[in-house]
């Protein structure tokens, strides 16, 4: 299904429904929906350190001017430059997702893993997984574990000794014959599901939704009309320490960085609403405060004025977690994270509202044009 969707989207790009200057406010109905783009990117695997397939998918969705202006840096970040002069602004969303890497193959043919990102191992326990090897995908299962708190640190990374990946083999040589090797990424097979109304659910909405918002913004823009120097970046290895963004920060300077990432919301049945409440369906969210950053109040107000001027609904809130923009502040940039509200973060059933994501893309384009 993902291949069919990808072909349809690429055909739409070629026909002008998505690409270049044709995709502007009030685009014709034949334009691909926001959730169609999200579905394609979400179902493309990209565990931290293995983002290549996601990067290729994003490049294929960009209009021709953006593809020509794009480059991949040494770290693997995808960068698109637009506009000349004025302020230097960065919009950054990360391509990677949580998952595991094979740490070792055991004598009995099973494998031990190391975590790539922060999450509860119980979310993978008892699930089928896919291992991406050099010779193709290999199916396996994660056995139910005895103690989910067990784990040891090896080489600075948590090796989850009780997370056991079972290939159905009986000895290490049989597993190795499948092409499985240390360093191979693995993750639960993913499927984006449309729920009632404008709701949708899937694993790695964080941050494929942010990637989608940047793609939609880029295809709305006429680069000849931008008064500032804008860099759009799809970064790598956010989940394991903001490493891709850090590489960009050391290479280039910016006045303002807009990190486009999840607002982890308490808009769910079992959580208190006094903290981190971003209501799904009421628009994008400015992360005024999180664990890594305090956004300058004057800049938050400016985002709000621009959004209101374009008729874009906007929420402002505080939540937990960090964002890519925080590594730029030591270099003098202001960090103003913009988000969509998500519930059940870092689980297989992250939930997003299509209108929120569509309006986030509009907000990115508005800030790029009007800042």
């Amino acid at each position: 299904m993902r291949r069919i969707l990808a072909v349809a989207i690429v055909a739409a790009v070629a026909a002008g429904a998505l690409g270049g200057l044709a995709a502007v406010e009030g685009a014709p109905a034949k334009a691909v929906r926001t959730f169609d783009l999200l579905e394609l990117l979400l179902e493309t695997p990209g565990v931290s350190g293995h983002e290549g397939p996601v990067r290729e998918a994003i490049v294929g969705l960009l209009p021709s001017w953006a593809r020509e202006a794009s480059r991949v840096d040494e770290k693997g970040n995808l960068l698109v430059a637009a506009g000349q002069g004025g302020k230097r602004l960065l919009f950054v969303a990360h391509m990677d997702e949580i998952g595991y890497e094979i740490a070792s193959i055991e004598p009995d043919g099973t494998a031990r893993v190391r975590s790539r990102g922060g999450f509860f191992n119980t979310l993978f326990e008892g699930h089928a997984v896919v291992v991406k090897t050099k010779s193709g995908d290999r199916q396996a299962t994660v056995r139910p574990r005895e103690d989910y708190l067990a784990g040891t640190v090896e080489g600075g990374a948590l090796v989850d000794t009780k997370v056991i990946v079972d290939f159905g083999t009986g000895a290490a040589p049989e597993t190795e014959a499948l092409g499985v090797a240390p360093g191979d990424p693995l993750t639960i097979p993913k499927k984006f599901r449309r729920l009632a109304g404008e709701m949708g659910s899937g694993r790695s909405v964080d941050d494929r939704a942010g990637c989608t918002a940047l793609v939609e913004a880029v295809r709305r823009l006429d680069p000849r009309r931008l008064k500032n120097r804008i860099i759009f970046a799809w970064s790598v290895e956010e989940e394991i320490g903001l490493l891709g963004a850090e590489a960009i920060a050391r290479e280039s300077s910016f006045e303002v960085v807009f990190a486009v990432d999840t607002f982890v919301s308490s808009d769910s049945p079992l959580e208190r609403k006094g903290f981190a409440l971003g209501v799904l369906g009421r628009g994008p969210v400015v992360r005024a405060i999180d664990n890594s950053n305090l956004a300058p109040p004057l800049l938050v107000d400016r985002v709000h004025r621009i959004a209101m001027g374009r008729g874009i609904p906007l929420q402002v809130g505080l939540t937990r977690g960090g964002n890519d923009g925080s590594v730029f502040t030591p270099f003098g940039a202001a960090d103003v994270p913009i988000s969509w509200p998500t519930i059940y973060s870092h689980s297989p059933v992250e939930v997003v509202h299509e209108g929120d994501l569509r309006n986030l893309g509009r907000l990115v384009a508005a800030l790029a044009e009007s800042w």
Side-chain angles (χ1 to χ4, degrees):
M1 177 63 189
R2 186 170 65 83
R3 182 177 296 275
I4 294 173
L5 177 61
V7 171
I9 291 178
V10 170
V13 172
L18 290 176
L21 309 183
V24 295
E25 299 273 0
K30 66 179 180 180
V32 177
R33 290 180 53 185
T34 299
F35 266 2
D36 292 332
L37 293 174
L38 176 60
E39 180 175 0
L40 173 62
L41 296 182
L42 181 146
E43 294 186 0
T44 302
V47 173
S48 289
H50 305 271
E51 299 91 349
V54 184
R55 183 172 56 241
E56 292 174 7
I58 290 170
V59 170
L61 296 174
L62 296 177
S64 58
W65 71 261
R67 290 197 299 273
E68 293 171 2
S70 69
R71 69 181 180 92
V72 178
D73 67 12
E74 293 183 359
K75 188 65 176 174
N77 301 302
L78 173 63
L79 306 168
V80 172
Q84 299 293 332
K87 302 179 179 66
R88 288 182 57 83
L89 309 178
L90 174 71
F91 295 86
V92 56
H94 67 88
M95 296 182 287
D96 61 318
E97 65 191 75
I98 60 171
Y100 294 116
E101 278 184 348
I102 299 293
S104 64
I105 298 174
E106 302 301 300
D108 64 358
T110 62
R112 301 300 189 269
V113 298
R114 63 175 63 89
S115 296
R116 302 295 282 178
F119 56 96
F120 295 111
N121 288 317
T122 50
L123 296 176
F124 279 68
E125 183 178 15
H127 279 280
V129 292
V130 177
V131 181
K132 311 294 289 188
T133 78
K134 292 182 179 179
S135 56
D137 292 354
R138 296 292 178 262
Q139 306 297 320
T141 62
V142 174
R143 293 178 179 175
R145 295 166 295 110
E146 297 178 2
D147 182 0
Y148 74 92
L149 293 177
T152 59
V153 175
E154 296 181 8
L158 180 65
V159 177
D160 298 291
T161 57
K162 294 298 182 70
V163 177
I164 301 174
V165 180
D166 189 343
F167 295 89
T169 58
E174 296 177 40
T175 300
E176 293 166 349
L178 297 174
V180 179
D184 288 342
L186 67 148
T187 188
I188 297 174
K190 297 186 294 177
K191 176 68 178 175
F192 182 70
R193 302 184 185 281
R194 287 165 169 77
L195 307 178
E198 289 194 272
M199 296 293 191
S201 175
R203 195 182 54 71
S204 74
V205 166
D206 172 15
D207 189 23
R208 302 300 161 72
C211 293
T212 298
L214 288 194
V215 168
E216 289 209 317
V218 167
R219 73 172 206 255
R220 287 178 180 274
L221 294 172
D222 180 347
R224 298 167 298 184
R225 299 177 61 182
L226 297 176
K227 62 183 179 180
N228 294 312
R229 181 63 169 174
I230 311 294
I231 305 295
F232 297 95
W234 290 265
S235 67
V236 300
E237 296 184 334
E238 189 270 353
E239 299 290 2
I240 58 174
L242 317 181
L243 302 183
E246 185 177 42
I248 299 172
R250 294 187 181 281
E251 179 183 284
S252 304
S253 61
F254 300 94
E255 295 181 46
V256 184
V257 175
F258 299 93
V260 185
D261 204 345
T262 310
F263 184 89
V264 181
S265 175
S266 60
D267 187 22
S268 63
L270 299 181
E271 297 185 71
R272 298 177 180 177
K273 303 301 185 287
F275 175 78
L277 182 60
V279 180
L280 274 69
R282 294 188 184 176
V285 188
V286 179
R287 284 169 60 162
I289 302 175
D290 63 24
N291 291 70
S292 67
N293 179 64
L294 172 61
L298 290 178
L299 298 189
V300 173
D301 289 344
R302 187 171 182 179
V303 172
H304 187 266
R305 289 196 302 273
I306 290 173
M308 295 303 99
R310 296 289 185 97
I312 302 170
L314 187 69
Q315 306 178 73
V316 178
L318 64 162
T319 188
R320 297 191 185 278
N323 70 83
D324 267 337
S326 63
V327 297
F328 292 85
T329 56
F331 298 92
D335 177 18
V336 186
I338 52 177
S339 312
W340 71 94
T342 293
I343 54 175
Y344 318 134
S345 181
H346 278 206
S347 82
V349 290
E350 296 173 340
V351 175
V352 62
H353 187 280
E354 186 172 25
D356 294 339
L357 185 52
R358 182 171 57 250
N359 281 316
L360 180 59
R362 292 179 60 210
L363 178 62
V364 171
L367 295 175
E369 292 173 335
S370 304
W371 194 261

